[in-house]
């Protein structure tokens, strides 16, 4: 038994400290909720009911080959969207796994898009050494903002999400994907 268990005069002090701690936790949670709401609603970046940012399907990026890549071309079929960078070791480690997923599932209407949160030259050099079968867009630093607006609140990499053929976000994952993740995701449409 502790001293406070035997001393009734300390009970109100302990109860008061517990209430203050509970109020602190509640206030922190409320502020976090307000922060998330502000983050997603700022500058017209409101998240629609489907979990995507307004205007998502109208976004476009340049490719490392100098072409333009439109999100509209991915609409209507399941899409694995992966945010990555050449300077991110877990990103580089998971890309061959994602490439294998793409090769195995493209016949089932699956699409994969890699958005490089990086600069052109490092991405070109990487793709020359490690070619990918799926398209890559150069999102640069705006890719980090887009990732945050899609649920990656910390801005960490790698970040992946599945958008179903119905346009709804089905899954999100911050961190390196595993074969088990992709096996589960392959069953989503």
């Amino acid at each position: 038994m502790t001293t406070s268990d035997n001393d009734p005069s300390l009970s109100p002090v302990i109860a008061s400290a517990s209430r203050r701690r509970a109020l602190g936790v509640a206030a922190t949670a409320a502020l976090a909720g307000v922060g998330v709401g502000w983050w997603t609603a700022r500058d017209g970046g409101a998240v629609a009911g489907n979990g995507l940012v307004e205007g998502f399907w109208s976004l476009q990026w340049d490719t490392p080959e100098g072409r333009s890549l439109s999100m509209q071309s991915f609409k209507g079929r399941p899409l694995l969207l992966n945010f990555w960078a050449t300077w991110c070791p877990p990103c580089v480690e998971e890309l061959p796994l994602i490439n294998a997923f793409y090769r195995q599932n493209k016949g089932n209407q699956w699409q994969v898009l890699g958005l490089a949160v990086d600069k052109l030259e490092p991405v070109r050099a990487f793709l020359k050494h490690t070619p990918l079968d799926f398209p890559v867009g150069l999102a640069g630093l705006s890719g980090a903002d887009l990732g945050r607006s899609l649920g990656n609140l910390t801005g960490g990499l790698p970040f992946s999400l599945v958008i179903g053929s119905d346009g709804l976000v089905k899954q999100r994952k911050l961190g390196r994907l595993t074969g088990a993740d992709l096996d589960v995701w392959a069953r989503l449409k």
Side-chain angles (χ1 to χ4, degrees):
M1 239 188 239
T2 64
T3 309
S4 62
D5 291 333
N6 293 330
D7 187 353
S9 67
L10 292 179
S11 291
V13 172
I14 292 170
S16 176
S18 293
R19 279 192 298 273
R20 280 194 309 269
R21 192 172 313 123
L23 285 173
V25 168
T28 300
L31 284 174
V34 168
V36 168
W38 170 81
W39 183 260
T40 57
R42 75 196 191 296
D43 298 329
V47 175
N50 59 9
L52 296 176
V53 177
E54 286 181 42
F56 176 79
W57 295 112
S58 65
L59 295 172
Q60 293 188 43
W61 293 277
D62 291 331
T63 68
E65 302 80 27
R67 294 189 308 270
S68 182
L69 182 64
S70 169
M71 283 307 305
Q72 186 66 37
S73 66
F74 294 94
K75 195 172 185 178
R77 297 186 330 200
L79 171 66
L80 168 57
L81 182 59
N82 176 257
F83 292 82
W84 67 283
T86 60
W87 44 262
C88 166
C91 299
V92 171
E93 291 169 9
E94 77 177 359
L95 283 172
L97 185 66
I98 294 171
N99 201 49
F101 171 85
Y102 174 71
R103 279 189 262 123
Q104 292 167 356
N105 292 287
K106 67 182 176 179
N108 296 330
Q109 300 299 310
W110 269 96
Q111 307 169 96
V112 173
L113 172 60
L115 288 181
V117 182
D118 212 327
K119 294 182 180 179
L120 172 62
E121 288 311 315
V123 173
R124 275 188 180 161
F126 176 83
L127 293 174
K128 187 174 184 177
H129 180 264
T130 309
L132 298 172
D133 297 321
F134 58 85
V136 171
L138 297 168
L141 291 180
S142 67
D145 291 336
L146 177 61
R148 283 184 188 96
S149 71
L150 293 171
N152 180 2
L153 299 181
T154 65
L157 291 175
F159 175 63
S160 301
L161 63 143
V162 171
I163 301 168
S165 56
D166 57 4
L168 300 176
V169 174
K170 305 289 186 186
Q171 290 285 330
R172 290 180 180 91
K173 181 170 182 181
L174 176 61
R176 188 170 182 254
L177 291 173
T178 65
D181 294 326
L182 294 173
D183 288 344
V184 169
W185 290 8
R187 292 189 288 271
L188 302 173
K189 295 240 178 180

